[in-house]
Amino acid sequence: MTFVPRPGFEDDIRAGDDYRAGMLAIAQQAAQTVETFARQARAPWMPRTGARAVIVAEPTRTGARIVNTDHAGHLQEWGSRNNPPHAPLRRGVRAAGLKLEEQ
């Protein structure tokens, strides 16, 4: 007997509410690690008005993502002529044991 994978199985799993809830829970835990790296870089540099946190885990249609809400988040991540890259998102996600996909 040969195993034949069902086409679309992974897509069906990813479309489920349990999958998205699980991915959000994992992202929230990783966001805590990212927050630690951001604070080491003295974040927030330019906080958004009314923002409660600098690093936020939020649900997406296909899972979850971690976002730096600081207006200067791109400078923290990639650096500039006047400051080195601190990379709190990249370092924090990898330190939490997750795979990083830049989009």
Side-chain angles (χ1 to χ4, degrees):
M1 183 161 211
T2 304
F3 172 74
V4 179
R6 184 171 60 90
F9 174 74
E10 288 185 33
D11 294 332
D12 291 344
I13 294 296
R14 288 189 177 118
D17 292 335
D18 291 339
Y19 176 83
R20 286 196 305 272
M23 291 299 290
L24 181 58
I26 291 167
Q28 288 170 337
Q29 290 176 348
Q32 293 174 357
T33 306
V34 173
E35 181 77 28
T36 301
F37 283 106
R39 287 185 189 191
Q40 288 175 354
R42 291 184 166 68
W45 291 0
M46 295 171 56
R48 290 187 186 272
T49 304
R52 294 181 206 159
V54 174
I55 306 299
V56 178
E58 56 186 39
T60 64
R61 189 173 48 87
T62 57
R65 65 183 175 186
I66 301 170
V67 179
N68 187 338
T69 63
D70 193 332
H71 282 294
H74 64 290
L75 297 175
Q76 292 170 23
E77 193 67 28
W78 303 107
S80 70
R81 173 188 281 183
N82 298 321
N83 65 291
H86 296 283
L89 286 169
R90 290 177 286 164
R91 291 173 52 214
V93 166
R94 290 181 182 133
L98 299 177
K99 177 182 170 186
L100 177 66
E101 291 184 13
E102 298 180 30
Q103 296 182 358

